[in-house]
Amino acid sequence: MKTAGKMKGTKNIVLLVLPQVQLLDIAGPCDVFTSANRFMMNDQIDSEYRIYLVSGTADKILYSSSGMPITCGHTIYDIDFPVDTLLVGGTDLTVLDNINTDIYTFLRNIMGKVRRMGSVCTGAFVLAGAGLLNGKKVTTHWKFADILQKSYPELEVNVNPFFIHDQQIYTSGGVTSGMDLALALLEEDFGQPTASEVARHLVLYLRRPGIQTQFGSALPDYDMMSRFIKEVRNLLKHRLGENVSIEDMSEAMNMSVRNFSRVFLKESGITPGRFLEKMRLDQAKNMLEYTDMSIDMIAAQCGFGSAVSLRRLFMKHISLSPSQYRKAFKGTE
C-alpha cells in the first residue's frame, strides 16, 4: 500500500465531546482513524493520527445519550498541543440550550490554528452557534436540517449529502455519516489505497451510494412543528388523495389566502404547496415500506395522479424510483 504522495507525519485529531453525545458520533470517526494507524504501521508508513477526546465542558467524564460514560483526556480549558483537525460530535439540541458559551469562544479562538474543522450530526449547531458556518454550504442529520436552516438563515443547508466540504469546514449528516466523513479525511491525508483498506476492514463503502434523505422523512417530526403547522397537517392527513388547493387550506383555517400563506411560510419555512407535496411523499414512502399495494394504487391514494408523477417526485427528492425504494427499505416478513 502506498500513500500516493499524500501528506505524511503525525496529525493530532480532536474529537470534541458534549454531554449526551451519541456514542457513534465519536466512536465511528475514532475507529476510522485508529484503524488507519494500524494499517500504516503494518505497511511501515511513517504517518499516524493521534486521537484526543476533549470535553466541551470543565468535566472530563461525560455521559453519552445511552448512559455510557466517556472519559476525556482533556477539556477545552487545558489543551496544550497543536490541533490539526477538530470534529464536534452531536448531541440533543436541548443540551445546547444550557451549554456554557465558553465552547463557542474556544472554537472561534482555535479556528485560525487548525487545518480543518468539522462536525458530526447535530454538531453543526455548535459550529453555527460559534458563527463559524456563516455563508457556508453545510449539512446535518436529516431530521434537524430544517431547524438548522431556520435557526441560521445565513447558512446554505443541504440535507442530501452524507458530508459537505466548504473551504476548511467539513459537516456530516446523521450519526454514521461521521464515518463517511472520517474516511474522506483519511483519503485526503494519506490517499485512496489506505482509505479503501480501512473501509473494507470496517465493512463500509469508501463512498456510500445514495443520499441521506433516502433514510428520513421529508418533513420534520410532528413534535417539532408549531401548533399552527400541526393543525394544518392534521387537516390534510386524511385528504392526501384529494385535489387540495391553498384556498381549501386557508378556508379550513378561517383565514384569507394571503394571510394563511404568510403565516404558514413564517412558521414552517416552506410554502403550503411544498408542505403538502412532502406529506404525500412521506405517505408514499410509508406505503411502499409497509404494504404490498401496487405503485399505481399508491400514487392515486397519495394524490399524485399517476405512477409517472410519483416516480418523478421520488427521483427529485431521494434519487430512487419507487420500486428501487421499496426494494431497499421494505422489511422482510
Side-chain angles (χ1 to χ4, degrees):
M1 189 192 309
K2 297 180 180 180
T3 57
K6 293 286 183 174
M7 301 172 62
K8 293 187 177 183
T10 299
K11 294 171 179 57
N12 293 334
I13 306 287
V14 163
L15 300 176
L16 191 61
V17 184
L18 297 171
Q20 297 300 306
V21 67
Q22 289 204 88
L23 279 174
L24 202 53
D25 284 10
I26 299 299
C30 188
D31 276 345
V32 169
F33 296 129
T34 54
S35 295
N37 282 344
R38 289 196 294 271
F39 284 111
M40 289 188 288
M41 182 186 302
N42 291 341
D43 290 340
Q44 297 183 328
I45 297 173
D46 186 23
S47 303
E48 69 170 339
Y49 290 114
R50 289 181 183 168
I51 298 95
Y52 297 87
L53 299 186
V54 174
S55 170
T57 74
D59 301 315
K60 288 188 176 181
I61 299 178
L62 300 176
Y63 288 87
S64 70
S65 60
S66 64
M68 186 176 293
I70 300 175
T71 302
C72 299
H74 296 268
T75 75
I76 57 174
Y77 302 101
D78 62 27
I79 288 184
D80 57 358
F81 53 86
V83 179
D84 176 85
T85 301
L86 185 148
L87 298 179
V88 183
T91 185
D92 191 286
L93 296 188
T94 58
V95 172
L96 301 183
D97 294 334
N98 301 305
I99 201 77
N100 192 312
T101 56
D102 284 357
I103 192 170
Y104 301 126
T105 302
F106 164 77
L107 289 171
R108 285 192 291 267
N109 289 341
I110 203 171
M111 178 66 175
K113 304 173 185 177
V114 301
R115 181 165 61 97
R116 57 196 180 191
M117 185 177 290
S119 61
V120 180
C121 197
T122 54
F125 284 82
V126 182
L127 295 183
L132 302 179
L133 300 185
N134 294 348
K136 296 286 193 301
K137 296 178 182 178
V138 301
T139 194
T140 188
H141 192 293
W142 58 264
K143 184 183 290 187
F144 304 106
D146 287 344
I147 298 175
L148 181 63
Q149 185 67 83
K150 190 173 182 179
S151 301
Y152 300 96
E154 64 274 17
L155 312 186
E156 186 178 334
V157 181
N158 184 350
V159 70
N160 284 329
F162 293 111
F163 64 88
I164 288 179
H165 170 203
D166 190 338
Q167 297 178 4
Q168 72 181 114
I169 295 289
Y170 298 72
T171 53
S172 61
V175 196
T176 58
S177 301
M179 300 180 79
D180 296 290
L181 173 58
L183 284 169
L185 297 179
L186 171 58
E187 181 178 5
E188 184 179 286
D189 290 344
F190 299 120
Q192 182 177 338
T194 302
S196 294
E197 193 72 20
V198 170
R200 285 194 293 270
H201 172 70
L202 296 174
V203 197
L204 296 171
Y205 289 105
L206 178 58
R207 296 179 184 83
R208 192 184 340 185
I211 57 178
Q212 192 185 178
T213 43
Q214 292 172 355
F215 296 88
S217 301
L219 289 172
D221 284 354
Y222 182 77
D223 290 343
M224 295 180 184
M225 298 177 185
S226 71
R227 183 177 178 181
F228 176 77
I229 300 302
K230 286 179 181 178
E231 191 172 348
V232 176
R233 177 192 173 278
N234 291 338
L235 287 169
L236 293 174
K237 67 180 180 180
H238 298 301
R239 302 185 62 184
L240 296 181
E242 302 175 19
N243 184 19
V244 183
S245 66
I246 294 180
E247 287 77 12
D248 295 329
M249 298 183 211
S250 58
E251 183 179 350
M253 296 296 290
N254 296 313
M255 299 170 70
S256 69
V257 171
R258 182 176 180 181
N259 190 40
F260 173 79
S261 299
R262 180 185 61 80
V263 173
F264 195 97
L265 181 62
K266 180 181 179 182
E267 297 204 13
S268 72
I270 58 176
T271 65
R274 176 79 163 161
F275 185 89
L276 178 58
E277 180 182 82
K278 288 190 171 189
M279 279 192 71
R280 286 171 166 159
L281 178 64
D282 281 342
Q283 177 69 2
K285 289 169 71 175
N286 286 335
M287 295 175 78
L288 287 166
E289 288 182 47
Y290 301 112
T291 77
D292 293 317
M293 293 174 60
S294 71
I295 292 175
D296 284 325
M297 188 174 294
I298 291 174
Q301 292 205 8
C302 294
F304 292 106
S306 71
V308 173
S309 297
L310 178 62
R311 186 182 191 281
R312 187 180 300 120
L313 194 68
F314 264 65
M315 295 303 296
K316 173 184 175 182
H317 286 286
I318 61 176
S319 300
L320 290 176
S321 69
S323 58
Q324 289 171 328
Y325 182 87
R326 169 170 270 170
K327 182 177 181 180
F329 291 96
K330 184 173 174 55
T332 58
E333 296 181 357

